[in-house]
Amino acid sequence: MATRWGVIGTSNISHDFAVAMSTLPRTEHLIIAVASKDKARSQEFAEQFEIPKAYDSYSLVATDTEVDVVYVGTLNEHHYSVSRLMLEHGKNVLCEEPFCQNTEQVQQLVELARSKNLFIMEAMWMFFTPAFTILREEINKGTIGEPLQIISSFGTPMSESLIQQRNSGGSILELAVFSVYMSQFLFGPEKPQIYGACGQLTESGFDKDASVILKYSNGRISTFLSHFKVDLPNEAIVFGTKGNIKLYDPFWSATKMSVNGTDINIDVPPTKKATRYGNSVQLIYEIQEVRNCLLKGLNESSIVPWSLSIENAILVEDIRKKLGVTICK
Amino acid sequence: MATRWGVIGTSNISHDFAVAMSTLPRTEHLIIAVASKDKARSQEFAEQFEIPKAYDSYSLVATDTEVDVVYVGTLNEHHYSVSRLMLEHGKNVLCEEPFCQNTEQVQQLVELARSKNLFIMEAMWMFFTPAFTILREEINKGTIGEPLQIISSFGTPMSESLIQQRNSGGSILELAVFSVYMSQFLFGPEKPQIYGACGQLTESGFDKDASVILKYSNGRISTFLSHFKVDLPNEAIVFGTKGNIKLYDPFWSATKMSVNGTDINIDVPPTKKATRYGNSVQLIYEIQEVRNCLLKGLNESSIVPWSLSIENAILVEDIRKKLGVTICK
């Protein structure tokens, strides 16, 4: 029987989520409802992806008894409240990254899911991509020796007015989340020392850019940059004592990587419609993970377990505090 | 009339210096003497490059009345004492980078050169390369808008025993010197805030690796890594509000660069013998600068003026102190 999805929000990432899902068998995955506060937008989204129900209220998805699991694709600042609403109504949840706007919110969602025996996972799709799977295997095989350094970046230029308008937490929370996860994957769960510089803050106290060094034990260091004003390489490179592995731009959904200088191209399924973000048909891998977990009766994924999301939230919050950024409540 | 050079030390860089010079007209540049404490080595070097005088003592170069200018290509820890010896005997000096092992030594050499009306320059050859000239021009033309970020690295693996043996000051002084100069070029002479992490120190207190962020005013940041244990990209990329310029590996002597994604290949003169370091035939540009300065009666180059070397030494020393590295005396 197909997993029946509800989609909250008609953002670009929700669009790509629906495009990606349309490449999977309808016997396994179906979007049966979409909700936007703007009725016209949910109707348009529903028509575009042949979704039977278009709601103008998130509550209607929460109370729709046919929905098994909800994908939260709203703006970041609503992730917590929407996910909470869904859990309270007994829905399983896949919530876009970054999960919440502070650690407490992540912990509350996890506790709520635990108490209600529901599934919830932060949509850290990078971890499910083939490139990341290869990275994991090569690291474990010792192909690059002892990993000692990571360099990564995510910078995407935006107009000054758009930067000022944003209320989503700043570049560390919004962009560097992938770099922090990459650091945790290789060097965690140890809590690193944080060194860093924050370029400039918006009037509301969010970082327009950040440069961060995380120092772990035994000479292991992760250096990363996030930026709303300049385009950065958007690559991640892991350097070891015997070589390096590079995930090309965009590193969080790479379809090209190199292992000790040898390029590897990764095939991904073709889509009928273009995705709005690069390579985001790769959302299918996390979509499949959600179904697998639900079929097994698991409330958390072993790839992005609750503990990892909480550790990530703590580290991201610590970095933001260190750099003087406002933590949203 | 040719500029008559004396070479001190028969290191790899001295070798490359002689290879590079052999591509220049003999009517302009001649090495007339070489000195090594090991007589056999100076004789071999002299034979290889058809140099008439092979000395087994640096003093013999200092007192050779035919020598106009001395190239100091010894190990770093001898740069100061050898340069001092040469200046005291009235010789002009081109001293390999990094200039000295602390700020005070640089200031003393500069004062000595000033009091004796002699030329001295730190061999920061990067500044004289065609790639750097193009970088300078494109930045000035505004091709990449306002430069806001620099990312650069220099990492070269070495055996643990060799790292422990080294007494040259560590990776910041030896490798990151190019990154610090790059930062000064774009964002100096302002003194930045220093953030950073030092991987591990040798028993004698030198850094095996370092990760550093320099924060300047108006959101300008330079991030760089130096490493004796892993190979790093060894590129430098300057990111602006309208694009980026990349100097490919090795960035301090690049023969390939890209300006807003368009690659530029740089032709350099062919050499009869192979150089030991990549692209180091480009030493010719600083060699020509020295002759030009001497012909004009200048004691310092406008490209690497004394003030710049002193600023660099201060910044490098401040970074090393911040990271707990031993400052050599």
Side-chain angles (χ1 to χ4, degrees), chain B residues 195-216:
Chain B
Y195 300 85
C198 211
Q200 288 179 301
L201 299 186
T202 62
E203 283 162 23
S204 43
F206 299 132
D207 56 297
K208 298 182 191 177
D209 68 280
S211 306
V212 180
I213 297 169
L214 302 181
K215 180 180 178 183
Y216 294 80

Side-chain angles (χ1 to χ4, degrees), chain A residues 149 195-196 198 215 225 231 239, chain B residues 149 195-196 198 215 225 239:
Chain A
Q149 290 267 345
Y195 300 85
C198 210
K215 181 181 178 184
L225 282 72
D231 215 352
F239 300 92
Chain B
Q149 292 266 344
Y195 300 85
C198 211
K215 180 180 178 183
L225 283 72
F239 299 92

Side-chain angles (χ1 to χ4, degrees), chain A residues 273-292:
Chain A
K273 292 186 216 299
T275 56
R276 293 182 183 161
Y277 296 114
N279 306 341
S280 61
V281 66
Q282 294 193 91
L283 290 165
I284 55 171
Y285 305 112
E286 67 170 7
I287 292 172
Q288 289 170 321
E289 170 74 0
V290 174
R291 177 172 161 83
N292 289 339

Side-chain angles (χ1 to χ4, degrees), chain A residues 30-266:
Chain A
L30 279 179
I31 303 178
I32 63 156
V34 58
S36 166
K37 286 184 178 165
D38 179 338
K39 178 80 180 171
R41 289 190 65 171
S42 74
Q43 277 181 332
E44 188 195 358
F45 194 94
E47 277 163 32
Q48 204 179 353
F49 295 105
E50 298 171 25
I51 300 168
K53 304 179 207 178
Y55 294 126
D56 59 357
S57 156
Y58 301 162
S59 301
L60 295 174
V61 176
T63 55
D64 186 325
T65 53
E66 292 191 311
V67 171
D68 299 319
V69 55
V70 172
Y71 171 72
V72 180
T74 61
L75 291 175
N76 299 340
E77 55 259 49
H78 306 306
H79 285 179
Y80 170 71
S81 59
V82 176
S83 295
R84 182 169 192 92
L85 174 72
M86 297 303 147
L87 291 171
E88 280 169 348
H89 284 84
K91 297 298 180 209
N92 298 297
V93 172
L94 172 64
C95 179
E96 252 320 314
E97 46 72 28
F99 211 163
C100 297
Q101 301 210 283
N102 60 52
T103 307
E104 201 185 336
Q105 290 177 347
V106 176
Q107 285 167 327
Q108 284 182 10
L109 290 184
V110 163
E111 281 318 305
L112 188 55
R114 193 195 309 275
S115 70
K116 296 211 156 229
N117 194 26
L118 291 166
F119 175 89
I120 190 166
M121 183 177 96
E122 180 181 7
M124 184 35 59
W125 57 306
M126 173 176 78
F127 279 125
F128 301 98
T129 60
F132 211 89
T133 303
I134 295 170
L135 172 68
R136 193 181 276 120
E137 286 167 1
E138 296 295 340
I139 297 283
N140 290 342
K141 274 198 293 188
T143 307
I144 61 164
E146 186 191 352
L148 286 180
Q149 290 267 345
I150 313 169
I151 305 176
S152 60
S153 60
F154 189 173
T156 181
M158 227 174 253
S159 72
E160 189 61 35
S161 60
L162 201 58
I163 295 173
Q164 292 295 352
Q165 269 172 39
R166 291 179 83 80
N167 191 32
S168 302
S171 80
I172 303 167
L173 183 63
E174 294 187 75
L175 308 179
V177 61
F178 294 108
S179 293
V180 177
Y181 266 112
M182 185 68 96
S183 314
Q184 285 176 276
F185 163 68
L186 279 168
F187 302 150
E190 177 184 337
K191 278 194 75 175
Q193 280 179 269
I194 301 168
Y195 300 85
C198 210
Q200 288 179 301
L201 299 186
T202 62
E203 284 161 21
S204 41
F206 298 132
D207 55 298
K208 298 182 193 178
D209 70 277
S211 306
V212 179
I213 297 168
L214 302 182
K215 181 181 178 184
Y216 294 81
S217 58
N218 301 321
R220 296 170 305 158
I221 290 177
S222 176
T223 303
F224 54 86
L225 282 72
S226 54
H227 221 295
F228 282 133
K229 296 186 81 175
V230 303
D231 215 352
L232 291 174
N234 302 344
E235 296 171 345
I237 321 180
V238 183
F239 300 92
T241 47
K242 293 182 184 167
N244 68 72
I245 297 178
K246 182 198 277 199
L247 303 187
Y248 283 86
D249 176 14
F251 78 84
W252 51 93
S253 58
T255 51
K256 185 177 168 187
M257 64 190 296
S258 79
V259 177
N260 285 341
T262 303
D263 279 345
I264 299 172
N265 289 299
I266 292 158

